[in-house]
Amino acid sequence: DKVPILFQPFHIKDLTMANRIVVAPMCMYSSKNGFMTNFHLAHLGSFAIHGAGLVIAEASAVEPRGRISPQDAGIWDDAHIHKIKEIAEFVQSQGSKMGIQLAHAGRKASMRPPYSNPPDSDYWREDVVAPSGGEGLKWDQTFVTPRELAVEEIQQVVRAFGKAAARAAKAGLDMVEIHGAHGYLIHNFLSPVTNKRTDQYGGSLENRARILMEVIREVRANFPAEKPIFLRVSASDLVEGVLEGPSWDIEQTVQIAKWVKEAGVDVFHVSSGGNVAQQKLNAYPGYQVPFAEQVKKQVPGLAVVAVGIITGGKLAEEVLESERADLIAVARGFLRDPNFVLNAAKELNVKAKFSQQYERGRR
Ligand code: FNR
């Protein structure tokens, strides 16, 4: 019998995944001063024990003010490398691969973490920076008023992404993912809803994408050439019929996908939304797959990850089989069931490899 695509290995550059299943990056709000902890070792390590092909560690800030909350993970300091390396070595020892998402929260920075103990003990409000500033550009009233970045400051942020990539390489990670989605800094620049600049970083699509292209070049220059770079984007602001005027959409996404491929992005991870509070989100199983499909069809040679309520093995296999994506990422499914991979295998009648320590669980 043919092995389902979901359980076939995937190769890109020097990264070989045992299967096509990716644990999507998920903020755990469990770090202090950016440091990952034993929580992350157990959390990410468990997905490796349970057979995920690739584990992408959560959005990790490239500078302190680029955190969503004070409890976000960070990779802005060389001191962060040690724990990340320990986690990566464990994940890799289980036959899985590990990467990290490099992030800057932009206008959505400096928020209260969803839980903290005691409440708000670690709560602060930082300098919140974005392409454009002012009261009218807050995500909503609970957010800090963003301040417009000066051009030299944009250059500093770009360099911070590069330094973070160098640290990821030192930690022995197999890939990095640039976070260009969900209304964080890079998405703020891409979308005309949040980018009102009139200099070389605003206006035309080329200008709005300038920071992204600079970040890619900087990351590429600081990360080993044989290791892949992923880019996560939102394919749309999801404001059609809600907001007047230009916004971010799938046509622009396809255009930048062509550019970023040329600039050295190996894998394009397609999400949506998160940039505008009034977005109209209609979520159902596989709801973002049509966006992934458009990129895959229109940008040959660029590997694509589909994500968003991919409920199990059958749906995942159908997406791969119909060539709408090359990889499947799952977030909440793994929180509900760390054994997502083995259950997907069962659904598809595959005898997936158990970790040797768990082998007796079969009987
Ligand atoms: C997320 N998501 C997310 N996305 C991202 O790009 N970086 C991140 O750090 C996080 N953090 C995060 C935390 C938690 C707890 C959840 C549930 C989600 C979004 C996530 O990666 C994924 O795109 C969505 O959850 C949709 O996929 P699922 O959950 O339907 O499989």
Side-chain angles (χ1 to χ4, degrees):
D1 289 64
K2 191 173 148 283
V3 177
I5 302 168
L6 191 63
F7 287 94
Q8 293 174 17
F10 180 77
H11 312 275
I12 188 139
K13 292 197 165 158
D14 272 5
L15 170 64
T16 296
M17 294 167 51
N19 57 53
R20 308 293 175 103
I21 303 173
V22 179
V23 180
M26 283 183 275
C27 289
M28 291 287 112
Y29 307 105
S30 299
S31 300
K32 202 163 184 196
N33 299 323
F35 288 92
M36 290 193 195
T37 66
N38 282 339
F39 174 84
H40 297 87
L41 176 63
H43 165 70
L44 300 170
S46 172
F47 301 132
I49 291 175
H50 291 91
L54 171 67
V55 180
I56 307 180
E58 67 194 80
S60 298
V62 301
E63 59 171 15
R65 69 177 175 197
R67 285 174 288 177
I68 300 164
S69 87
Q71 295 176 4
D72 285 27
I75 188 164
W76 68 79
D77 191 323
D78 288 348
H80 291 140
I81 297 170
H82 179 80
K83 192 69 184 185
I84 299 170
K85 187 165 194 277
E86 181 189 341
I87 298 167
E89 281 171 357
F90 177 75
V91 166
Q92 291 155 348
S93 76
Q94 301 303 301
S96 185
K97 299 293 154 111
M98 179 169 149
I100 197 166
Q101 193 182 45
L102 307 179
H104 192 301
R107 77 163 179 163
K108 286 165 80 173
S110 210
M111 289 304 294
R112 204 177 252 109
Y115 36 78
S116 62
N117 195 13
D120 300 342
S121 60
D122 208 358
Y123 184 56
W124 88 147
R125 305 225 99 177
E126 263 273 10
D127 182 28
V128 169
V129 296
S132 303
E135 271 293 307
L137 280 167
K138 290 202 258 194
W139 162 273
D140 73 23
Q141 285 316 306
T142 66
F143 281 66
V144 181
T145 302
R147 173 179 77 74
E148 178 180 314
L149 281 166
V151 169
E152 314 81 72
E153 293 178 307
I154 294 176
Q155 296 305 315
Q156 285 161 10
V157 170
V158 168
R159 282 195 294 276
F161 271 95
K163 288 181 190 154
R167 291 182 193 107
K170 275 200 181 141
L173 296 176
D174 300 292
M175 50 76 76
V176 289
E177 177 169 278
I178 298 167
H179 198 346
H182 302 163
Y184 300 116
L185 186 71
I186 291 172
H187 189 176
N188 297 160
F189 272 89
L190 290 172
S191 173
V193 178
T194 37
N195 184 344
K196 307 291 182 193
R197 299 178 78 96
T198 53
D199 63 4
Q200 69 270 37
Y201 289 98
S204 66
L205 176 59
E206 193 187 355
N207 283 355
R208 282 179 277 122
R210 189 173 307 280
I211 188 172
L212 170 62
M213 302 308 293
E214 291 176 345
V215 164
I216 292 165
R217 267 179 239 118
E218 195 72 13
V219 168
R220 189 71 282 175
N222 283 282
F223 199 61
E226 67 278 8
K227 293 186 182 192
I229 295 175
F230 289 41
L231 168 65
R232 196 175 226 211
V233 297
S234 287
S236 168
D237 282 340
L238 305 173
V239 291
E240 212 179 306
V242 178
L243 278 195
E244 296 281 311
S247 62
W248 185 249
D249 59 23
I250 182 65
E251 284 75 27
Q252 295 168 84
T253 300
V254 168
Q255 182 58 61
I256 63 155
K258 294 175 182 163
W259 295 343
V260 304
K261 177 174 176 283
E262 291 311 309
V265 166
D266 302 288
V267 182
F268 202 75
H269 193 164
V270 188
S271 188
S272 69
N275 198 42
V276 183
Q278 304 93 311
Q279 71 182 23
K280 228 167 59 192
L281 185 71
N282 178 21
Y284 52 88
Y287 72 105
Q288 294 175 144
V289 172
F291 291 135
E293 176 179 14
Q294 290 212 44
V295 174
K296 175 120 180 96
K297 295 262 143 73
Q298 297 188 56
V299 192
L302 182 60
V304 169
V305 190
V307 67
I309 320 189
I310 297 182
T311 45
K314 288 212 165 109
L315 177 55
E317 181 63 12
E318 198 180 292
V319 170
L320 297 176
E321 177 88 71
S322 56
E323 296 182 14
R324 287 179 285 170
D326 301 281
L327 294 169
I328 298 297
V330 173
R332 289 164 293 182
F334 270 106
L335 297 185
R336 284 193 294 274
D337 176 14
N339 224 2
F340 182 92
V341 177
L342 284 171
N343 285 325
K346 206 169 182 183
E347 243 187 274
L348 295 171
N349 289 316
V350 181
K351 193 172 180 235
K353 201 166 151 273
F354 262 49
S355 82
Q356 59 188 1
Q357 289 91 339
Y358 284 17
E359 189 55 43
R360 284 172 69 185
R362 279 193 201 281
R363 287 173 253 144

